[in-house]
Amino acid sequence: MLATLIGFLGDFDLAEEAAQEAFAIAAERWPRDGMPSTPGAWLVTTARNRAIDRIRRDRTLAAKTKLLELPESVEDTTMEQTVFSDERLELLFTCCHPALSTDAQVALTLRTLGGLRTDEIARAFLVPEPTLAKRLVRAKHKIRAAGIPFRVPPDHLLPDRLVAVLAVVYLIFNEGYGGRNELAAEAIRLGGALAELMPDEAEAHALLALMLLHDARRDARFDDGVLVLLADQDRSRWNVEQIAHGRAALRRALALDADGPYALQAAIAARHAEPERDWPAIAVLYGQLVALTGSPVVELNRAVALAEAGEAQAALTLVEGLQLDAYHYLHATRAELLRRLDRPQDARAAYERALELVHADAERSLLQRRLAERDRPREARAQD
């Protein structure tokens, strides 16, 4: 719906405000009058009319007076829900225009297409919320001032947008992977659309493989609202068909000589889906990913793999050298390693620090349970 409105109005803020008004009207009218036959069309039409009314009231928006020449819409009962598919892709590429910085591209798409709140995006970027809010305002202003078109770019320009577009889709998926299934499903849908749009781009297929392999374990990741780590998951609840699709997408990526970050992560996910995990091999893959990205978060995952391969002390040394104090996974991982090394008091302190930082209820419940069990020796476990 938002993609449709932005394409029609050419203004992110006006589209968001009109969408909010339409939903508010629906919340008031639908319980009383009944739901319309095509709810999506009704919402879009209502939002468009509200936006046009607002333009009429605000004569300072001279640049948009051409919209006043358009007749008011009525509910289009023939409108198909699938109309949103291409418009979402157009919105994705609009947000990822090279005139914007990569961080701004990702943040703006997460806000408009992913529906994430500003504080959620700030956590994903590990930056203060006010910083992220200013970044969003600047990005919207630049799109408006530069007249950036709302469309999928021609074929010869697609590769220039690929890095940012894939990063956006993966961040949307990651936010959904914590329990917001609708976001994960939208990311997978977009990933599939990108793979079709750019069939010769190895990393597009690799990202699709990565998301499919992770999402295949969705039903086994939570138990009564508590996160279940990979080692404890009931594999009978894994989606075998989706794992097969993920492996097929990975094979396609490798056939295209994929050697980027998503290909490596997909290869790691495929290793995790095997009956017996080869932790030394997984640690090697993480090492290659660290060399490629320089990411401290990837280094943290390599530390977990090292611990599972029998190198707990080396893993702890690696973790304690990472600059990720505001990242709750670092403290949760450190706590697990300390517990394995029979340092229960230090483990308790690390768990408590992780609990101060965690936001997801399911992860908080897991950490609280771990803290309650801190005095019982236990091997370090991979963070899921």
Side-chain angles (χ1 to χ4, degrees):
M1 175 181 173
L2 189 59
T4 303
L5 292 170
I6 292 172
F8 174 72
L9 298 166
D11 187 308
F12 281 76
D13 290 328
L14 182 58
E16 288 179 338
E17 291 167 3
Q20 290 170 4
E21 286 190 39
F23 277 109
I25 294 168
E28 177 186 353
R29 292 185 185 175
W30 291 3
R32 182 188 68 221
D33 303 334
M35 184 178 293
S37 58
T38 53
W42 189 98
L43 287 166
V44 170
T45 299
T46 301
R48 286 170 59 175
N49 289 337
R50 288 286 166 167
I52 291 173
D53 288 343
R54 178 165 297 188
I55 293 170
R56 285 196 175 101
R57 290 194 303 266
D58 190 353
R59 297 295 177 177
T60 64
L61 296 177
K64 297 185 176 65
T65 53
K66 66 179 187 295
L67 293 176
L68 302 182
E69 300 170 6
L70 296 174
E72 280 203 5
S73 302
V74 296
E75 180 181 343
D76 182 1
T77 58
T78 65
M79 185 174 183
E80 300 274 344
Q81 292 299 321
T82 53
V83 74
F84 296 114
S85 177
D86 289 342
E87 287 160 343
R88 286 173 178 167
L89 208 56
E90 289 168 353
L91 177 57
L92 181 61
F93 278 98
T94 299
C95 292
C96 293
H97 194 279
L100 305 176
S101 69
T102 299
D103 283 351
Q105 293 171 15
V106 174
L108 186 59
T109 311
L110 289 173
R111 178 71 182 87
T112 56
L113 185 60
L116 274 64
R117 301 190 309 271
T118 303
D119 62 315
E120 292 174 322
I121 305 171
R123 287 202 300 273
F125 276 87
L126 302 179
V127 299
E129 184 176 345
T131 300
L132 197 283
K134 291 177 182 177
R135 190 177 297 172
L136 289 171
V137 170
R138 287 195 298 268
K140 291 178 181 179
H141 176 75
K142 190 161 190 176
I143 286 176
R144 184 166 56 248
I148 292 174
F150 181 81
R151 68 178 186 221
V152 175
D155 290 349
H156 69 282
L157 294 179
L158 285 175
D160 294 338
R161 311 276 186 94
L162 186 61
V163 172
V165 167
L166 294 180
V168 165
V169 172
Y170 191 36
L171 280 172
I172 292 174
F173 176 79
N174 278 338
E175 190 65 32
Y177 193 56
R180 297 175 63 174
N181 294 340
E182 75 285 356
L183 284 181
E186 173 67 5
I188 290 173
R189 191 200 65 77
L190 287 170
L194 288 170
E196 287 186 21
L197 186 67
M198 296 179 280
D200 296 326
E201 290 290 348
E203 281 290 86
H205 294 282
L207 175 59
L208 179 60
L210 173 61
M211 294 188 295
L212 287 169
L213 289 165
H214 278 313
D215 190 66
R217 299 187 282 107
R218 180 181 61 231
D219 291 343
R221 292 188 70 242
F222 299 95
D223 182 18
D224 291 332
V226 179
L227 181 68
V228 180
L229 297 182
L230 183 57
D232 298 326
Q233 289 176 11
D234 179 358
R235 289 186 171 231
S236 68
R237 300 181 66 189
W238 289 7
N239 188 325
V240 177
E241 182 178 354
Q242 192 164 313
I243 290 174
H245 287 318
R247 291 187 185 279
L250 178 57
R251 286 194 297 271
R252 172 63 177 160
L254 295 176
L256 293 168
D257 298 323
D259 58 359
Y262 300 112
L264 284 169
Q265 290 177 81
I268 292 168
R271 291 276 187 176
H272 280 304
E274 294 174 356
E276 296 292 333
R277 284 180 287 172
D278 186 342
W279 284 110
I282 291 172
V284 169
L285 287 170
Y286 272 124
Q288 293 173 1
L289 190 57
V290 169
L292 188 64
T293 66
S295 167
V297 174
V298 175
E299 194 80 274
L300 178 63
N301 282 279
R302 185 169 79 92
V304 172
L306 287 173
E308 293 298 323
E311 301 181 46
Q313 186 57 59
L316 180 61
T317 300
L318 179 58
V319 168
E320 291 183 336
L322 298 176
Q323 302 299 311
L324 288 171
D325 186 64
Y327 192 53
H328 79 271
Y329 286 121
L330 178 133
H331 300 284
T333 300
R334 183 170 176 270
E336 291 290 320
L337 293 172
L338 289 166
R339 188 165 72 169
R340 178 171 180 172
L341 294 168
D342 198 23
R343 294 169 55 183
Q345 296 307 313
D346 291 335
R348 165 184 268 277
Y351 277 128
E352 289 173 345
R353 176 58 176 154
L355 282 166
E356 291 175 1
L357 297 169
V358 72
H359 292 277
D361 291 339
E363 294 183 5
R364 181 179 294 105
S365 297
L366 173 65
L367 290 170
Q368 289 170 338
R369 189 178 70 191
R370 287 286 202 247
L371 180 58
E373 297 171 348
R374 71 188 184 282
D375 294 324
R376 180 163 58 86
R378 187 184 180 108
E379 291 185 354
R381 288 244 178 107
Q383 295 297 317
D384 188 19

